[in-house]
Amino acid sequence: MSLIQHMANTLGMYRTVKRLGVPDSHIILMLAEDAACNARNPFPGSVWPSMNKDLDLYGDDVQVDYRGYEVTVPNFLRLLTGRVPAHIPRSKRLNTDERSNIFLYMTGHGGDGFLKFQDSEEVSAMDLGKIHELTKADAIEQMWEKRRYHELFLMVDTCQASSMAQRIYSPNVIASGSSLIGQNSYSVSYNLTQYNVDSDVGVPLIDRYTRAVLEFMEGVDRTSNKTLQNLFDSLSPKSIFSDPYVRTDLFQRALDKVRVTDFFGAVAQVQFTLT
């Protein structure tokens, strides 16, 4: 139950992209914890992002693709690179191509250059970016070489989050994170507000950076013209208690020209043919 805020972070993002039109068939949801069904949860089947309990993030319409001990570093990297075993069903594969925009969200306990999985293993910045010039073991470069994305938006909410993006060198990638190297990322319990430690559950309910992103996204609908620049401008270090990180040098477009729905929403592609 101590990691319920990480589950709430992830489910908050899941709810947002679904609300903006992305179907479950285009979402891969990995949840290492099952706090909603934990015997210590006083609200079985529910995950709340605030003490008000006015929004159940779990609800009855959540499709989890990888859960519990399926959430491992090898499974995560195989998913990104398309190296999944033949018996894995299509619903648990990342079925993308060179026309696809991918939003990759990661959250959990971490540090300089790593993010923990299951408290027993970790995905490193070197798994995502290069180790050295002669090595291409990194997942994102493999994705680019295999034409598995057009543009990729990596968002990380963890301590020292910026370190997870510093080794990436593949084209058309934008990265953001909740904190710089040397900084912690905080849950909302760090300050006494309506979002502090819930007296019923006994743990923090959501993290500050993700909450700020979700609050911005609540003002976005499928036809919104709000941009990634608007999103990043809305993230205040005073409310997050750390310095949000954005890396844009690999990305081709100006952020004020990129609508948030390019990554958080579904855009129908219509092809006209002459008959």
Side-chain angles (χ1 to χ4, degrees), residues 253-270:
R253 295 193 284 161
L255 295 186
D256 60 358
K257 305 297 182 183
V258 183
R259 294 184 300 176
V260 292
T261 51
D262 286 357
F263 292 96
F264 287 87
V267 179
Q269 295 184 351
V270 180

Side-chain angles (χ1 to χ4, degrees), residues 89-235:
R90 180 177 176 84
S91 62
K92 300 178 75 166
R93 297 170 181 260
L94 186 63
N95 301 302
T96 56
D97 58 29
E98 69 275 9
R99 299 167 298 175
S100 303
N101 280 5
I102 296 177
F103 173 56
L104 175 58
Y105 175 78
M106 304 172 66
T107 186
H109 290 306
D112 189 354
F114 70 91
L115 181 74
K116 296 183 73 174
F117 274 53
Q118 301 285 5
D119 286 333
S120 60
E121 58 179 349
E122 58 193 37
V123 62
S124 73
M126 293 185 293
D127 290 321
L128 301 180
K130 65 182 177 181
I131 300 175
H132 54 71
E133 295 296 336
L134 300 179
T135 302
K136 288 192 175 181
D138 46 291
I140 292 179
E141 177 62 15
Q142 288 187 50
M143 294 176 71
W144 175 253
E145 291 180 349
K146 294 179 179 180
R147 299 183 178 182
R148 292 178 61 77
Y149 74 87
H150 170 57
E151 294 175 330
L152 189 149
F153 180 11
L154 170 66
M155 179 179 286
V156 184
D157 191 346
T158 190
C159 295
Q160 307 191 69
S162 65
S163 65
M164 292 299 294
Q166 290 194 340
R167 292 181 178 270
I168 298 172
Y169 64 101
S170 306
N172 293 359
V173 175
I174 183 171
S176 68
S178 55
S179 54
L180 302 179
I181 292 178
Q183 293 183 334
N184 292 325
S185 295
Y186 295 99
S187 69
V188 291
S189 65
Y190 191 74
N191 190 33
L192 295 180
T193 70
Q194 62 173 328
Y195 294 95
N196 64 351
V197 173
D198 184 271
S199 59
D200 295 319
V201 180
V203 294
L205 298 181
I206 198 168
D207 287 325
R208 284 182 165 271
Y209 178 81
T210 294
R211 185 196 70 179
V213 172
L214 295 177
E215 286 179 344
F216 174 87
M217 293 304 300
E218 284 300 308
V220 174
D221 59 28
R222 300 186 191 188
T223 62
S224 176
N225 289 320
K226 291 185 178 180
T227 67
L228 288 184
Q229 189 65 61
N230 296 143
L231 168 60
F232 296 139
D233 287 345
S234 73
L235 303 176

